[in-house]
Amino acid sequence: MKTRLTSNLLFGLAAASILAIPAFAQEAEAASKGPEVKFSGEVEFDAYTGDVINEDYKSHSYASTFDLNVDVKFNEKWSASVQLEADGPTTDPGAVYNGAFVQYTHSDKFAVKFGDLTFSEGAFLNYYGYDDPADNAAGMAEHDIRGFEIDYNGLVFGLGFVRGDNDNTACDEESGECVGYAYDLHLAYELGLGEHVLRPFFDYKSYQEAKHNELHAGLDANLKFGAFALHAVYGLHVDALDEKVPKATHAILGEPSLDLGTFNVKATVFYAAFDKKTPTVHGEEIPEYFFVYGEPGVKINDAIALGLPLEYHTNSIVKDAELEMFNVGLRAYFTPVEGLEVTGFAMFNIPVGDNAGDDTGLGFGLETVFAF
């Protein structure tokens, strides 16, 4: 009996060793391969006409964007990413370094990033004209920092030195050397309630000067009720915390949408309350104090859809500027495969305000976007 038990034991150990050899080999092979590298990105190239009715010479313009992301996975805990970007109103924008960061992921509820990070809040989702958070947002357009970010169970905490165009610099007159001295603190919390998501946010940007310290705060809400959805944002914009003027700007955004499959409707209503006497100029972030956009659409098949955009724009942050325009036209969407979208449009621009001109204009455009 002892001989049989011993034989069985030896046989079991031998079998286990044989079965373990492939597993050890796979681990060794995975280790020898090194980090996993993944490339992804997006390319957009656009062409637009000027006013084909009233211009003596028919003009045209371009816009081009190229984003390349390189993601590196070292193991289950450690990863890194680097981005390159080229963007501009031309056919050949120059590509530049757009940031890199390293990430440690402890679990699906806790992660830490450090490096070049970007924060934005309350972006426009429905209106195509302001849907780039690098430029426009009801809550806060993109702020770039070099620092760290902690994500814990829906809470986001970021802190770092501001980089890029958002930084403030001081230059030595003799040497010409410049140093930046702005920093940014960002807080947000994403609360999921079934299909609804609420995201309060707070961002403090300091130039270490009373006239420049900024505060952005508010709430971004995404609500869903079956086929109906509502994106709503309240944003508080204060560009000079320790000064009496200019005063705060309050931005309110409502974006309802209805998707019934073949038929859909999306809309955007935006209003910004600027101080009447000394309005704060937020640049592209808030380009006008009020506009309304609506687009009913129909899906022809899996690849083709048509939309009828209707828009009213004030085109100013001052209420008595009288630059109002009404825009109406047709948008055609062609999506033959996932990741590729071609959009063509024709728009009539009808002056409404007394200072908006006298002639109705007509323009065309074609935008092509593909992701990889």
Side-chain angles (χ1 to χ4, degrees), residues 40-63:
S40 62
E42 185 175 279
V43 176
E44 179 174 354
F45 50 94
D46 310 326
Y48 308 98
T49 72
D51 184 354
V52 300
I53 298 178
N54 301 303
E55 290 183 354
D56 294 332
Y57 295 94
K58 309 310 176 191
S59 64
H60 59 265
S61 59
Y62 305 107

Side-chain angles (χ1 to χ4, degrees), residues 285-312:
E285 185 174 47
I286 304 178
E288 54 185 325
Y289 76 87
F290 176 69
F291 80 91
V292 179
Y293 157 78
E295 184 177 335
V298 60
K299 189 176 181 180
I300 306 300
N301 54 41
D302 291 339
I304 301 175
L306 299 176
L308 179 67
L310 305 166
E311 308 174 26
Y312 174 80

Side-chain angles (χ1 to χ4, degrees), residues 121-122 124 137-140 201 216-220 232-238 248-254 269-274 282 285-290:
E121 302 288 350
F124 294 88
M140 183 189 77
F201 60 89
H216 299 266
L219 176 67
D220 188 329
V233 177
Y234 165 72
L236 171 67
H237 303 259
V238 185
T249 300
H250 303 269
I252 300 174
L253 171 67
V269 180
F270 176 76
Y271 178 78
F274 288 87
H282 300 281
E285 185 174 47
I286 304 178
E288 54 185 325
Y289 76 87
F290 176 69

Side-chain angles (χ1 to χ4, degrees), residues 42-108:
E42 185 175 279
V43 176
E44 179 174 354
F45 50 94
D46 310 326
Y48 308 98
T49 72
D51 184 354
V52 300
I53 298 178
N54 301 303
E55 290 183 354
D56 294 332
Y57 295 94
K58 309 310 176 191
S59 64
H60 59 265
S61 59
Y62 305 107
S64 305
T65 301
F66 168 66
D67 292 317
L68 176 64
N69 304 314
V70 183
D71 298 309
V72 182
K73 184 178 180 181
F74 300 101
N75 56 35
E76 295 301 320
K77 298 293 185 180
W78 290 94
S79 61
S81 180
V82 61
Q83 301 92 35
L84 296 178
E85 179 185 59
D87 185 31
T90 177
T91 58
D92 56 350
V96 296
Y97 168 85
N98 196 37
F101 64 85
V102 173
Q103 177 169 318
Y104 171 74
T105 305
H106 180 73
S107 67
D108 58 352

Side-chain angles (χ1 to χ4, degrees), residues 11 36 71 84 160 168 196 207 231:
F11 176 78
E36 297 178 13
D71 298 309
L84 296 178
N168 196 20
H196 313 307
Y207 289 102
H231 175 229

Side-chain angles (χ1 to χ4, degrees), residues 312-313 322-327 350-357:
Y312 174 80
H313 294 272
E322 297 185 347
L323 296 173
E324 296 85 353
M325 297 281 291
F326 178 72
N327 304 331
I350 305 169
V352 178
D354 292 339
N355 298 323

